Amino acid sequence: FIKTYSEEIHYGGKFRGILLVLRDVTNEVEIDRIKNELVSTISHELRTPLSSIYGFTELMIQRDLPSHRQKKYLLAVHSETERLSLLINDFLDLQRMEANKQEYTFEPFDLLAMMKDLKQLHSLSSSSHQIRVSSDVSPLLIEADAKKIRQLFGNLINNAIKYSPAGGAIDIRVTEHNERLQVAITDHGIGIPASAMSELFQKFYRVDNSDTRKIGGTGLGLSICREIARAHDGEIHVESIEGQGSTFTVDLPLTQPDA
Ligand code: ADP
């Protein structure tokens, strides 16, 4: 994007030429675009749960409801409050990581045990998906920030569930090679269009189609995953075929040199 400014130069009563200033404002335009997107995503994401909390509590205040209805509305308020707090936490987490203010505590732990625990947890909340964990090595000790690594894989498993139809299988494959480990999480869900691949890990980016619009999200999860992988000298990749499914692969060193 170029901004232009021009002015005629007159000297001694005569026209001498034109002063033309061209300024590349691509960065400013891009920052503006990101700011606008951020404001609209945040306001939409905050407004939706807030208006249902408002609606349910208003109903409870105005009407004499039987206790089973009250309970139903309270559960809805509870889950919307949870959604709001997740959004705010994700947003603050990402801000902290991007500003290099996140502190990491590296400690040894068994990654395989963590993956099995995550599988257990997600199987409880989403019994309609079959989650399988497989590995050549057991146990698999790594040196990393256990809380953050749990957040990384929790996000990826959560996405695999969210973006797959009920009944879909999710495979988590853990392998070790050359002092690094790879965790591949494969789903057989809606997949990702090739045109979206380059933007997928950007803050607030969500694939925009009728499928994803029905599924809630903030577009912050994958940015957080990428920040956590980077902080561990790791990488995250994705392969996907639209309509068939996706595989997210995380590659991490087994030990941290300066931990
Ligand atoms: P969200 O909160 O929207 O899920 P993410 O940052 O986790 O945010 O993901 C960004 C976008 O990438 C999602 O909105 C979705 O369009 C796409 N995506 C992520 N994981 C998957 C997946 N396993 N299958 C299909 N699409 C995915």
Side-chain angles (χ1 to χ4, degrees), residues 45 90 155-164 185-187 189-193 196 199-209 212 215-225 238 240 245-248:
E45 290 297 327
D90 273 1
N155 276 350
L156 294 180
I157 297 173
N158 204 20
N159 278 353
I161 293 173
K162 258 189 354 186
Y163 298 106
S164 317
I185 299 174
T186 302
D187 66 59
I190 61 173
I192 298 156
E199 287 177 276
L200 211 61
F201 291 90
Q202 274 176 28
K203 206 159 44 172
F204 292 116
Y205 179 80
R206 304 199 71 217
V207 174
D208 186 23
N209 60 33
T212 53
I215 305 168
T218 58
L220 291 175
L222 286 182
S223 313
I224 292 176
C225 291
V238 56
S240 183
S246 315
T247 297
F248 283 82

Side-chain angles (χ1 to χ4, degrees), residues 38-76:
L38 193 142
V39 170
S40 86
T41 314
I42 285 269
S43 49
H44 176 258
E45 290 297 327
L46 292 180
R47 205 177 285 139
T48 318
L50 268 181
S51 47
S52 47
I53 291 173
Y54 184 80
F56 285 122
T57 46
E58 189 154 82
L59 271 176
M60 289 171 70
I61 292 166
Q62 284 178 355
R63 299 204 191 145
D64 254 341
L65 296 168
S67 67
H68 71 278
R69 288 280 287 281
Q70 279 193 15
K71 176 102 188 244
K72 195 172 152 196
Y73 293 165
L74 273 178
L75 282 174

Side-chain angles (χ1 to χ4, degrees), residues 110-113 137-141 176:
D110 178 6
L111 182 92
L112 203 59
V137 269
S138 174
L140 181 52
L141 274 189
E176 186 202 328

Side-chain angles (χ1 to χ4, degrees), residues 1 15 24 45 61 100 106 112 117 148 150 161 210:
F1 293 90
F15 172 74
D24 181 353
E45 290 297 327
I61 292 166
N100 285 328
F106 298 99
L112 203 59
D117 193 46
K148 291 284 148 203
R150 198 182 164 90
I161 293 173
S210 58

Side-chain angles (χ1 to χ4, degrees), residues 5 15 60 72 102 112-113 150 166-167 226 228 239 245 254 258:
Y5 170 81
F15 172 74
M60 289 171 70
K72 195 172 152 196
Q102 174 68 48
L112 203 59
R150 198 182 164 90
R226 187 179 57 179
I228 296 174
E239 281 171 56
L254 289 180
D258 48 2

